[in-house]
Amino acid sequence: MDAIALLKKDHMTVKRLFDRFEKARSGKKEIADRIVKELAVHAAIEEQLFYPAARLKAKRSGMEEADEQVLEALEEHHVAKWLLAEIDKLDEDDERFEAKVSVLMESVKHHIKEEEGALFRYCRRLFSRDEMVTLGKMMAKAKKVAPTKPHPRAPDQPPGNLVAGAAAAMFDKGMDFMRDAGKQAMAKVNGRVRRVARQANLNA
């Protein structure tokens, strides 16, 4: 899968999650958490690999319009990451929760439209087919170790983002592990409580 196909696949995943969020009557926080994770990983691989490669190609080719598109995309990422960080900390019953997710969705939909339009057209001209496939493979590998949470204060361009991204990814994966372990522990406790309650009812 080439780089643009991979990014379009990510876009489709996120848009489906947006649809689920809008239709859901409950469990919206769980969907929002998935949106946060998907967009954090997506932003990381674009900032670490796709955007720097596109800027380099654009500068070498004298295609200023493509470079400007990347800079605009980076600014859109910057705004989105602050919103993602705020949403990540909110509970579903917070009065600002749904409003923030709605603003995020509108912003990301605009970003996707811009990216899949002008920027991807420029990149198809700038990169050869083999280069695009190689970049796609690199991005697919990077997704496996990318940060799973937004880090709006971290650098968004090399070399700073490569160092910050690696550290953030390690921290995020540790936090994800702790959260998942906590959920499993609570599920076991709740299961035991239910079994004890059933036994008590049988003995009554």
Side-chain angles (χ1 to χ4, degrees):
M1 183 181 299
D2 72 26
I4 288 177
L6 184 148
L7 294 177
K8 283 187 173 182
K9 185 178 178 184
D10 282 357
H11 291 167
M12 188 59 65
T13 297
V14 169
K15 287 194 279 189
R16 286 194 188 112
L17 287 169
F18 289 169
D19 289 342
R20 278 182 59 197
F21 185 90
E22 289 176 329
K23 292 173 184 174
R25 295 188 176 181
S26 62
K28 288 198 168 193
K29 176 60 177 172
E30 186 178 337
I31 301 168
D33 287 345
R34 177 83 189 281
I35 290 169
V36 168
K37 181 177 179 179
E38 291 289 338
L39 286 174
V41 171
H42 178 79
I45 64 167
E46 283 191 321
E47 291 170 10
Q48 290 172 7
L49 294 166
F50 188 72
Y51 291 164
R55 292 199 74 189
L56 183 63
K57 282 281 192 179
K59 286 178 179 178
R60 285 179 177 172
S61 302
M63 197 180 288
E64 290 183 13
E65 304 93 332
D67 192 41
E68 288 169 4
Q69 284 287 325
V70 175
L71 289 173
E72 185 177 328
L74 281 167
E75 291 306 317
E76 289 171 349
H77 274 207
H78 179 69
V79 172
K81 283 189 287 187
W82 279 106
L83 260 177
L84 287 166
E86 291 172 0
I87 291 165
D88 192 42
K89 293 173 185 172
L90 290 180
D91 293 324
E92 186 170 337
D93 58 357
D94 189 289
E95 66 176 3
R96 305 286 288 273
F97 174 73
E98 291 208 33
K100 284 187 184 292
V101 177
S102 294
V103 170
L104 173 76
M105 290 191 295
E106 288 305 312
S107 175
V108 171
K109 284 175 184 175
H110 169 79
H111 174 76
I112 289 171
K113 185 177 179 181
E114 292 283 309
E115 200 165 74
E116 291 190 355
L119 182 56
F120 285 180
R121 282 198 303 273
Y122 287 133
C123 288
R124 288 288 186 203
R125 287 162 55 190
L126 289 168
F127 292 90
S128 70
R129 172 66 184 161
D130 287 345
E131 287 173 334
M132 196 63 79
V133 169
T134 299
L135 184 57
K137 288 177 181 176
M138 291 169 65
M139 289 164 62
K141 287 180 182 177
K143 284 187 79 168
K144 296 175 183 176
V145 293
T148 57
K149 299 283 184 184
H151 296 276
R153 293 185 188 277
D156 59 9
Q157 296 187 77
N161 70 341
L162 299 176
V163 177
M170 288 177 64
F171 177 78
D172 292 347
K173 292 194 184 303
M175 293 299 290
D176 290 344
F177 175 79
M178 293 295 290
R179 185 197 64 230
D180 293 343
K183 284 181 179 178
Q184 289 174 4
M186 284 303 298
K188 286 180 181 178
V189 169
N190 289 336
R192 287 185 191 132
V193 169
R194 285 194 294 271
R195 284 196 295 275
V196 169
R198 281 198 299 270
Q199 191 62 44
N201 287 335
L202 288 172
N203 293 337

